[in-house]
Amino acid sequence: MINPSVFYNQELNKHQVEVRSLQKRILLFSTLRLLTFITTSVGIYLSFQNWQIATVLGLIGLGVFLLLLSKYTDTKAKRELHKALVYINEEELKIASGNFHHRDTGLQFQDPKHFYSLDIDLFGKGSFFQYINRTMSSEGRLQLASTLKANNITQIEERQEAIKELSKKTEWIQHYAATAKLIETETPAPKIINWLKNHKPYLPKHMKWAPLLFVVISISLLALAIFKILDIGFFGYWLFAGLVVTGSYLKGINILASNSDKTKETFKQYASLLLQIENESFASKLLQEKQQLIESENKKASAIFSEFSKHLDALDNRNNLIGAIFGNGYLLSDIKNAFKVEQWISKYAHKVEDWFEVVSFFDAYNSLGNYAFNHQGHVFPKISEEKLVIKAEALGHPLLDQNKRIASDVTINNQEFFIVTGANMAGKSTFLRTVSLHIMMANVGLPVCATSSSYSPVKLITSMRTSDSLTDDSSYFFSELTRLKFIVDAIDKEPYFIILDEILKGTNSTDKAIGSKKFVEKLVAGHATGIIATHDLSLCKISEELNEVKNYYFDAEIVNDELYFDYKFKKGICQNMNASFLLKKMEIV
C-alpha cells in the first residue's frame, strides 16, 4: 500500500528538480539562438562580396536557428507540463492537511429541487464536491457533478472496478490532469460540437481540384517566363485570377476561419489527451468501453484530431499578408485549406461529441480514482441483495478529521424506519449526512468511510434544509410541504431511502407533533425505508404501534457544569436536552 502523502512529496520533489533542469536548458537554447544569429550575421557580412558563400552561411545559420527554436519550444512545453505536475502535487498535500476551501465550490451545479444535493452539502464551500474535484475542464466538472447527482443504482460494481483500477494509476492520472490543465479553451466543447454539427459546406466538390490546377498553371507560367517563352507579365497577371477566385468564396472562408481560430488549440490539446487514453491499458469493463469509443475508426481519434489541428493551423496562416496574397493568387491556399477543414467536418463531426465525452469522462473519473487512492483505509461496499439496506461498521463522515471523527455501527434493514432523537449539537445532523453520503458514494462506486460495508442499492431522497422563497412568494412552511409532497410523489413510483431532519418546523409544536406522526405513519404504510431526526420525543411512541419503527439517539451530559457529547449512536430515546442549559451557560437568560 502506497502512502499518499509520501507519494505526493516524492512526486513534488521529482517535478521540481525537472522544472529547474528544463529552465536551464531553455536558457541554454536561448543563448545558443542568440549566438547563432550573431555568428550568421557576422559571417554574411564578412563574405558579402562572395554571394555564394554568404548564401550557404545564411542557409546553415537559418537551419541551426530553426533547430534550436524547435528544441526551445519543445523544452518549454515540457517545463510547463512539469510545472503543472508540481501544482497538482502541492494541491494534494494541501487538501490532505484539510486546506481545500480555496478550490472550486461547484455552486453552479447546486439544485434546491434535486433529490439530495442541497441537504448533504454536495456543493458549496467545504462541500464534498470541493473536496473530491480534481477536474481540469468545465466539461469534466459538469460530468463529475452529474455523476454525484445521478442517483444511479445500476452497474455499481462496474463503476467500482473502474475506480479501483484508476486508483492504481495515480501517475497516469496526474499526467492526464497536467496535460488537461495546459488546455486554454476559448470556446467550450458544447459550442464546438454545435458548430461542427450545424456547419453547412459552402465549397463545391469540384474545388478540391482547383488548387492543384492553379499550382500546375502557376509553375508552368513561371517556367515559361524563365525560359523566355512567355512574357513574365502573364505570370504577374495570373496572380489576380487566383485572387478573384478566392474572393468569390471569401465570406464563407472568413466565417470558417473565425470559428477555426477559436477551436484549434482545443483540438491540439485534446489530441494529446486522446493519445494518453489510447496508449493506456485498461482491464475494467467500463474503462475499456470508453476506450473503444475512440478506437472505432480505422485511424485513432488522436491522429484524427491532430490532422484537424494541422488543417486549422494551415488555414490560420492566411493572417500573414504576404502569404495570403501570393498563396491565394498562385496556389488558392485558402480554398485548399478550407476545403480540407470542411471535408474533415463532413466526415467526423458526428463522432466528435463521443470523443469529447470520453475526454470529459476520464477527467471526471480520475477525480474518483484519485479519491480512492487518497482514502485507502476506506472500503468499497459489498453489493448485496439481502434484506438489509446498510450494514456498516465504524461508519463516519469522510470530510471530518480522522483523528477527531467518531464512527458508528449502523444496520438498517429494508422497510425499517429510524427515529433519531438527541440534544442540540449532539451529532444528529452529521449522522444523517454521514448515512446520506454513504448511499450517494456507494451508488457512484466510491469507497465509503467505514471499516466494512454491505449495501443493497437504493436511491436517496432527503428533506433536511428548507427555506422560504421571496422569488416564488412562498412561505417557509409551504416550501417544506412542497418538499414533502415531492418525496411522497417520488416514493409512489419507486423505492427510496428517505432522510428527514426535523420536519414541519414551520408550524406550532402541537400541530407539528400530529403532522409528523401522520407523515411517518404514511411512509411506513408505504413500506418506506429511512431515518428521521427530531427533538419531539412524542414521535418516538410510534415504535410502540409499528414494528418497523426503531428509536435511536445521541446523548449529551453535563459534567462539572460543562456540556459533554460522546457523539455515539445508541439504541433508545434521548432523555437529556440542552437548550435551557446553553441559554443559562451563555448568560442569555
Side-chain angles (χ1 to χ4, degrees), residues 256-275:
L256 184 66
S258 175
N259 287 320
S260 301
D261 186 53
K262 297 172 184 176
T263 62
K264 62 178 182 176
E265 287 303 315
T266 300
F267 280 98
K268 190 179 295 182
Q269 295 291 354
Y270 268 62
S272 62
L273 293 175
L274 288 166
L275 183 63

Side-chain angles (χ1 to χ4, degrees), residues 103-117:
R103 298 176 62 81
D104 180 19
T105 62
L107 269 176
Q108 65 270 33
F109 306 117
Q110 185 68 276
D111 178 9
K113 296 181 180 179
H114 184 256
F115 293 95
Y116 53 78
S117 68

Side-chain angles (χ1 to χ4, degrees), residues 115-116 147-153 443 458-461 496:
F115 293 95
Y116 53 78
T147 300
L148 297 178
K149 292 163 64 177
N151 227 3
N152 182 6
I153 59 174
N443 289 343
V458 62
K459 293 186 177 182
L460 175 66
I461 194 166
Y496 282 86

Side-chain angles (χ1 to χ4, degrees), residues 132-201:
I132 195 176
N133 175 36
R134 303 293 189 278
T135 60
M136 292 295 174
S137 68
S138 57
E139 292 74 33
R141 282 190 290 279
L142 176 60
Q143 179 104 14
L144 177 61
S146 299
T147 300
L148 297 178
K149 292 163 64 177
N151 227 3
N152 182 6
I153 59 174
T154 63
Q155 300 176 313
I156 292 175
E157 289 169 309
E158 285 186 17
R159 292 195 288 276
Q160 285 184 345
E161 289 306 310
I163 292 168
K164 284 178 188 177
E165 183 174 6
L166 288 171
S167 72
K168 298 171 184 175
K169 296 179 180 288
T170 312
E171 286 190 48
W172 182 85
I173 284 176
Q174 288 202 346
H175 197 270
Y176 188 95
T179 304
K181 189 176 187 304
L182 299 179
I183 297 175
E184 295 182 7
T185 54
E186 188 177 340
T187 308
K191 199 168 183 179
I192 294 174
I193 293 166
N194 184 61
W195 162 55
L196 294 175
K197 283 185 172 181
N198 294 301
H199 178 75
K200 297 288 187 291

Side-chain angles (χ1 to χ4, degrees), residues 47 162 172 193 202 251 283 374 501 510 546:
S47 60
W172 182 85
I193 293 166
Y202 58 89
K251 183 179 178 181
N374 287 344
D501 190 5
T510 303
L546 302 171

Side-chain angles (χ1 to χ4, degrees), residues 457-523:
V458 62
K459 293 186 177 182
L460 175 66
I461 194 166
T462 64
S463 179
M464 298 166 68
R465 286 194 179 116
T466 311
S467 60
D468 54 353
S469 173
L470 295 176
T471 305
D472 298 334
D473 195 26
S474 61
S475 69
Y476 180 96
F477 187 59
F478 183 77
S479 296
E480 192 173 13
L481 291 177
T482 302
R483 183 66 178 180
L484 296 180
K485 179 69 166 61
F486 171 70
I487 292 173
V488 169
D489 290 345
I491 64 176
D492 275 346
K493 298 172 186 174
E494 58 183 320
Y496 282 86
F497 193 100
I498 305 163
I499 293 186
L500 310 168
D501 190 5
E502 205 66 60
I503 62 169
L504 302 179
K505 296 183 284 290
T507 186
N508 66 72
S509 57
T510 303
D511 200 29
K512 172 187 167 185
I514 296 170
S516 297
K517 182 175 183 292
K518 288 183 177 180
F519 188 71
V520 171
E521 286 173 343
K522 179 177 177 60
L523 295 178

